[in-house]
Amino acid sequence: MVRGRGVRGKWCGALLLAAALAGGASACGPETPPAPGGPASGATAPPAPSAPATSDTSDAATRTPDASTSPTTGTSTTTGTSPTTAPSASPTSTSTAPSGEPRPGEVLVEVVVNGGFAGVSNQLVVHYDGSWTSRSGTRPPRTGQQTPAEAAELRAALEDPAYARVPNRPTGSPIADGFQYFITYRHRLVVSGDGERPPALQRVFAALPEGGPPTSP
């Protein structure tokens, strides 16, 4: 054992000498104690921690997300909200409703006569202002003008409540080869023959210009 130690001592001495010449340290010698606070000899120092990445939106996490930020993707969606405008009220019409008074040129009553031996078809039209037109066959129409009193009497006869009760069709027996009269007043048609007429209808015929349309061809 003594011999072995001597051989090892020589061998270590030679290594120390070689190491000294080479400027190195022997692995056989005692380890050099590490500097206070430093890493142990032969150990690899851990890498220095990298600095945290700086983001332009680092303060975004600290802000309260507004209503336009999606809670799942974090993508901000800009939605412009247009102000709601109440519909404007349509202008109220200020036009005055017509009073119902007929215009002077409107037709007051129309009387057509048909029949007879010759089979005539003549017409008399009277307007509210008293003007009238009579047509007979192929002859040129004749025109005339009632006096204000005559026009007023015709309107009164037509507006008489008794005339409103006149039957729309004649109630008596028809006369052979007689005439039929068709009186139109305010969209109501009354048909009369040559026979006896109700007094209210006879009053209307008496107020018509020339007693009614002509019966000649």
Side-chain angles (χ1 to χ4, degrees):
M1 296 297 293
V2 175
R3 181 180 179 183
R5 291 180 178 177
V7 173
R8 183 181 179 184
K10 292 182 179 180
W11 183 72
C12 289
L15 288 177
L16 290 172
L17 180 60
L21 294 176
S26 172
C28 296
E31 294 183 356
T32 305
S41 177
T44 304
S50 60
T54 303
S55 173
D56 294 338
T57 60
S58 60
D59 58 341
T62 61
R63 293 183 302 202
T64 303
D66 53 19
S68 62
T69 305
S70 172
T72 55
T73 60
T75 305
S76 176
T77 306
T78 303
T79 55
T81 303
S82 59
T84 304
T85 304
S88 59
S90 59
T92 304
S93 175
T94 58
S95 60
T96 305
S99 60
E101 190 69 23
R103 293 189 297 270
E106 288 187 17
V107 174
L108 172 64
V109 62
E110 178 189 37
V111 183
V112 176
V113 58
N114 293 335
F117 288 105
V120 299
S121 180
N122 301 333
Q123 179 193 48
L124 172 66
V125 177
V126 185
H127 299 88
Y128 275 91
D129 60 356
S131 62
W132 55 270
T133 303
S134 178
R135 293 178 174 87
S136 176
T138 58
R139 299 175 185 176
R142 295 184 301 109
T143 60
Q145 178 70 48
Q146 289 183 307
T147 64
E150 292 172 341
E153 170 59 23
L154 178 58
R155 289 195 302 269
L158 292 168
E159 295 171 359
D160 188 351
Y163 176 73
R165 294 190 296 268
V166 172
N168 293 339
R169 293 292 184 270
T171 57
S173 299
I175 300 176
D177 298 325
F179 295 100
Q180 275 195 324
Y181 297 86
F182 300 85
I183 306 100
T184 303
Y185 170 67
R186 291 186 176 178
H187 309 291
R188 182 189 176 216
L189 176 63
V190 173
V191 181
S192 174
D194 277 338
E196 187 177 352
R197 300 167 181 161
L201 181 58
Q202 184 60 40
R203 180 186 177 187
V204 171
F205 271 89
L208 287 172
E210 299 183 342
T215 57
S216 59

